Amino acid sequence: MTQRTNDKPAAPVRRKPLAGAFRKIRVGSETIQLLVLAVILFVFFSIIVEKFLTVRSITSMGFQMPELGVLTLAMMISIYTGGINLSVNATSNLAAVLAGFFMVKFIPKDAAGAVVTLYLAVAFLIAIAVGWLCGMVNGLLIGYVGVPPILATLATMTLFTGISVGLTGGATVTGFPTQLSVIGAQTILGIPIPFLIFIGFTILTYILLDRTSFGFKARLLGSNPVAAEFSGIDNRAILMGAYIYSGILSAVTGILIMGRTMSAAYEYGATTYVLLTILICVLANVNPGMGRVIDVFIAVVILQILSTGFQMALSGVRGSTFFKDFAWGVLLILVFVANYFIRGRRAQSS
């Protein structure tokens, strides 16, 4: 005996593409550790520094953080595929210098606002094209010629810096239109525009690595390149794509720096930025085939809190810069020790 029913079969549920992209954001114990650390540091400096917890201070951090944040995303994707990109800062400066030259040489001094905006758009495209070209050179050397990433990007770092020095003669490029400062000095609803750009590229990188076939192949390539090759993955094409994206992110950093400083120079961040991006990736536990974009974002926030907190707490004290570097080193060692004990506990429980 069968029971008849008039119920119609349920229609398949259609997910919106963007909602589907965020339906399973990976959050692990490392993410929680970093969040707790960020909260502890924020509360600590809010207590010991009188003016730390103010709108002005937080807004200032929002303007300073994105340069290093976007550049760290550029470093992350190269480490994710099993390599490293030491030329991120040199690419950033070269893109800024060439875009700056275009603005200085070609924008008429009596141009109307709309015309200047059009020229700025072209300058940004030039910077992005330079980043794309620099990334392609790295991708060719690493993916197709077979040069180890650290040697290839060390060579291109020197090459790109040399080109910047040759073009500028070691001088700083200035004289940009005031409209450029909108990127580096203006806010939308109280939120700094550079910070919104940083959030945008963080989301884009998350989708690229966690929600696309390219991200899956990049993860497999970073974890086990031999297995990736036997799985039919074109390792060389993935490396080329990863380093081109890294170069484009570096160029975006150059645009952000130009917008904030209203200048372009071959030496901007040359002594610290590459090391800081590596430090942040280590702090976020980024390894070949492993790592979360959200952890990188939180790690950038942690370093900015440390930097601003110590700068305000030790304002006027001789050697404060040294103490800031000292604190970064101590933090890194503490993270290593914490990860060591966490891995040991997991090994015992398994």
Side-chain angles (χ1 to χ4, degrees), residues 282-283 326-340:
V282 172
L283 185 63
F326 171 79
W328 285 347
V330 171
L331 173 67
L332 196 58
I333 292 173
L334 289 177
V335 171
F336 282 145
V337 173
N339 288 337
Y340 172 78

Side-chain angles (χ1 to χ4, degrees), residues 95-326:
V97 164
L98 289 176
F101 266 133
F102 172 80
M103 288 187 284
V104 172
K105 299 290 184 184
F106 291 96
I107 297 181
K109 293 184 178 179
D110 55 349
V115 176
V116 173
T117 303
L118 184 61
Y119 274 102
L120 286 179
V122 175
F124 295 162
L125 289 177
I126 290 174
I128 298 296
V130 171
W132 180 86
L133 187 60
C134 292
M136 193 180 72
V137 172
N138 284 329
L140 280 172
L141 289 173
I142 296 167
Y144 291 86
V145 181
V147 180
I150 191 169
L151 297 180
T153 56
L154 185 63
T156 53
M157 178 185 73
T158 309
L159 173 66
F160 301 155
T161 302
I163 294 173
S164 297
V165 175
L167 290 172
T168 62
T172 301
V173 183
T174 58
F176 303 152
T178 55
Q179 289 88 336
L180 179 64
S181 65
V182 171
I183 293 179
Q186 299 297 320
T187 62
I188 296 178
L189 299 176
I191 304 173
I193 291 177
F195 189 69
L196 293 174
I197 294 173
F198 177 34
I199 291 176
F201 278 101
T202 299
I203 294 173
L204 180 63
T205 306
Y206 165 76
I207 294 173
L208 181 68
L209 294 184
D210 283 46
R211 293 291 177 263
T212 67
S213 61
F214 174 84
F216 172 78
K217 293 174 182 176
R219 188 183 312 136
L220 186 57
L221 169 62
S223 305
N224 192 331
V226 177
E229 190 169 359
F230 278 100
S231 300
I233 295 174
D234 188 348
N235 288 356
R236 294 181 297 182
I238 298 299
L239 285 172
M240 176 64 80
Y243 280 93
I244 286 178
Y245 185 64
S246 178
I248 291 174
L249 289 176
S250 302
V252 171
T253 303
I255 294 172
L256 292 176
I257 292 172
M258 276 198 305
R260 189 174 66 83
T261 65
M262 293 299 285
S263 64
Y266 77 94
E267 57 186 355
Y268 192 90
T271 58
T272 56
Y273 269 17
V274 173
L275 289 178
L276 283 177
T277 56
I278 296 174
L279 188 152
I280 294 171
C281 286
V282 172
L283 185 63
N285 200 27
V286 176
N287 290 296
M290 297 174 57
R292 300 182 182 90
V293 177
I294 183 66
D295 291 355
V296 171
F297 183 88
I298 299 171
V300 171
V301 173
I302 288 173
L303 247 69
Q304 187 59 54
I305 292 174
L306 275 174
S307 177
T308 303
F310 279 120
Q311 186 177 2
M312 296 178 71
L314 303 174
S315 178
V317 177
R318 186 177 181 183
S320 59
T321 304
F322 161 76
F323 193 81
K324 182 178 67 177
D325 297 339
F326 171 79

